[in-house]
Amino acid sequence: PLVPVNEQAIDNEWKVFPNPASDVIHISGPDKAWVSLHDLSGRTVVAPAATESIQTSGLAKGVYLLKIETATGVEFRRIILSR
């Protein structure tokens, strides 16, 4: 199950861009992280991976949640996919 979106970042140095996105989302931060993308019903649409980018070209436009997991915590970011 997804937890509520945390507006307080686990680390203020995490950057997620572009947002809105069309084909790819880039994630950068100070630590290693596992990232995954979820639709608003909680389904995982991009499986967790230790990566710095997520391909979104095959996904429908709309609002998604990007989950960033590090050794120090978990953070969710709202992502808008547009075409």
Side-chain angles (χ1 to χ4, degrees), residues 7 15 23-25 35 43 56 59 65 76-77 79:
E7 295 297 337
K15 294 181 179 32
D23 296 323
V24 66
I25 300 167
V35 296
R43 291 181 302 160
T56 59
L59 300 174
L65 295 176
F76 287 86
R77 299 275 183 102
I79 299 294

Side-chain angles (χ1 to χ4, degrees), residues 10 14 27 31-35 49-52 67-71:
I10 53 177
W14 282 98
I27 304 103
D31 302 316
K32 288 190 173 217
W34 284 84
V35 296
T51 184
E52 295 178 353
K67 182 179 182 182
I68 304 170
E69 292 183 80
T70 68

Side-chain angles (χ1 to χ4, degrees), residues 29-77:
D31 302 316
K32 288 190 173 217
W34 284 84
V35 296
S36 56
L37 197 62
H38 306 268
D39 65 17
L40 293 181
S41 67
R43 291 181 302 160
T44 301
V45 295
V46 176
T51 184
E52 295 178 353
S53 65
I54 293 179
Q55 294 295 324
T56 59
S57 57
L59 300 174
K61 68 180 183 177
V63 178
Y64 293 82
L65 295 176
L66 178 72
K67 182 179 182 182
I68 304 170
E69 292 183 80
T70 68
T72 59
V74 176
E75 178 178 350
F76 287 86
R77 299 275 183 102

